[in-house]
Amino acid sequence: MTDPGNTAARATPARIERPSALAFLGYGAALLVILWSFRGAGWSGERLMHAPPALADFMTRSWPPATDALGRLGLKMIETLQIAVAGAALGVVLSLPIALLAARGLIAGRAVNTAVRVMLGVMRAVPDIAWALVFVVAVGLGPFAGMLAIVVDTIGFCGRFFADDMEAADKGPAEALTATGARRLDIAASATIPASIPAFISTSLYALEKAVRSSTILGLVGAGGIGIELKVAFDLFDYPTAMTVIGMIAVVVIVVEQLGIYARKKIIGVER
Amino acid sequence: MALDSKAGARAAPVITMPDLKVEGLAKAFGAAPAIFSDVSFTVSRGEAVALVGSNGAGKSTLLRCALGLIAPSAGRIELLGAELTGLGGRDMRALRAQTGLVAQKHNLVPRLSVLSNVIHGLLGQQSGPRYWHQALAPRAAREKAMAALEKVSMADFAQRRADRLSGGQSQRVAIARALVASPRLLIADEPTASLDPAAGEEVMALFFSLVRRENVTVIFTSHNMTHALEYGDRILGLGRGRLQLDAPVADLCAAELRKIYD
Ligand SMILES: Nc1ncnc2c1ncn2[C@@H]1O[C@H](COP(=O)(O)OP(=O)(O)O)[C@@H](O)[C@H]1O
Ligand SMILES: [Mg+2]
């Protein structure tokens, strides 16, 4: 380094760096795990070859999509959206106090932060369909079980991200209020929460999109919504109706997603 | 109140307790070497003290220690007659209800109105949802806040959102928020650093006319030596990890000040 003559003699670096022995072993192991996983997933070239004709057969048998049941399916879709909206709304409201406890350095101590975050992690880790099964057992078949599943799913999501949003908020206003002797809860309510509102809105809109997507399949386990129609249609080999349901779900999910993008831009983009 | 020295003034000779007394203060973050150590000084009632020193000398850290916002590594701090070490949360808040902070950044809550932000300044004395937002605030609090805004000539902007103000206006609102609870001691950490020179002059003149009138003790930092000499009664110089200077402004010459910066 100190010898200036050395720099001139420095060779151009190789295009591809030779991996170390350890890295080489790592790549090899990763490749083996992937191949092993394909085997576990029942990879079958033969069956894949048969899939296109079978799918084509499904398409011909399901085309044109059924229109006779549109009225009933429409009502079911409305119920689906109601499950999503009610579950997401209640979930968002309940998330706020939970997030206050989960956010580090806000109102609760480290032990509470950790306990609440672990609980939220569990709520997220258990899939929505499993929560729906649990609530079907608890409150019986129907949309109410589905709504409760969405509430839990939303809390797992919003509780965590609201807390992260508040931790990321500018600490300046909070410090100024601390210096005047304000309490932690007052500081959180006066400074941290108002500053986090754009982030909360954005997170809540994602939660709603997620809730709509979930609510369309909760019916598969009898927790209300249009999912039940999909299951029944496949069970009865009524592919035209199944096609209609799939199409409706796709349209609704895409529309809600686009509305979310629009609302985010409108509410946060303009107001920064 | 125990902190009020006026109670016994007639019987005994007046012993004016300093508003801030710092003894042998040191602060290190983690395992890093101390930013400063062995810092001792006092600030008396009604005094305006300028704390000067180069960037990173530890001025902000020292002021944060003084308000108990961070704990020092060594030494003791007596703020308004109370020893900070070991002070419980409630006592600490009661003490801080008589202090305030004006920082380099105005630190207003951006999405709330100017009026809400000033009402927040009362949270040291009052607690609860009625002081979170101007729409919920009691009449007396709203009137107090308006009076404070009047003092900084910002009453016309009471309903304006805080993030729609210029830098100078924001800093004036921050001053109103700091003054609304009639504090005894204010810390101003480079209050004009984010302003252009003209707005900076204006804010300094306004701030000191108000604190002098209300007899508020002030400790401020500034990069502007002219400000330190013009508005300070006394200058503290922090450099090379030590307090290098503690002298009344009247006794100082420029050469002495320059010493702190090398
Ligand atoms: N929270 C912190 N953790 C670690 N180091 C810090 C922290 N706050 C300040 N420092 C360091 O302390 C030194 C003094 O900072 P500061 O008090 O802001 O100086 P000044 O206000 O005089 O410019 C700097 O070197 C800074 O990096
Ligand atoms: Mg500083």
Side-chain angles (χ1 to χ4, degrees), chain A residues 170 172-173 175-187 189-191 194-195 197-198 201 270-272, chain B residues 64 67 69 93 96-97 99-101 105 107-109 111-112 120-121 123-124 126-128 131-132 161 163 177:
Chain A
D170 180 15
E175 187 174 51
L177 297 188
T178 306
T180 66
R183 292 158 169 270
R184 280 161 172 253
L185 183 62
D186 288 323
I187 295 170
S190 310
I197 282 194
I201 291 174
V270 178
E271 295 217 292
R272 76 175 153 138
Chain B
R64 283 200 169 77
L67 286 178
L69 295 170
R93 282 201 304 274
R96 286 198 192 125
T99 67
L101 174 69
K105 261 177 60 231
N107 286 336
L108 303 176
V109 183
R111 299 179 63 82
L112 295 182
H120 290 168
L123 280 170
Q126 310 286 344
S127 178
Y131 295 84
W132 294 351
R161 252 174 67 156
D163 51 3
R177 176 179 62 185

Side-chain angles (χ1 to χ4, degrees), chain B residues 29 35 54-62 189-190:
Chain B
F29 285 103
I35 290 159
S54 52
N55 243 329
K59 304 181 296 293
S60 300
T61 304
L62 177 56
D189 192 4
E190 301 196 32

Side-chain angles (χ1 to χ4, degrees), chain B residues 80-101:
Chain B
L80 302 174
E83 165 92 45
L84 287 193
T85 324
L87 207 61
R90 180 188 296 257
D91 294 332
M92 185 70 99
R93 282 201 304 274
L95 200 60
R96 286 198 192 125
Q98 305 176 70
T99 67
L101 174 69

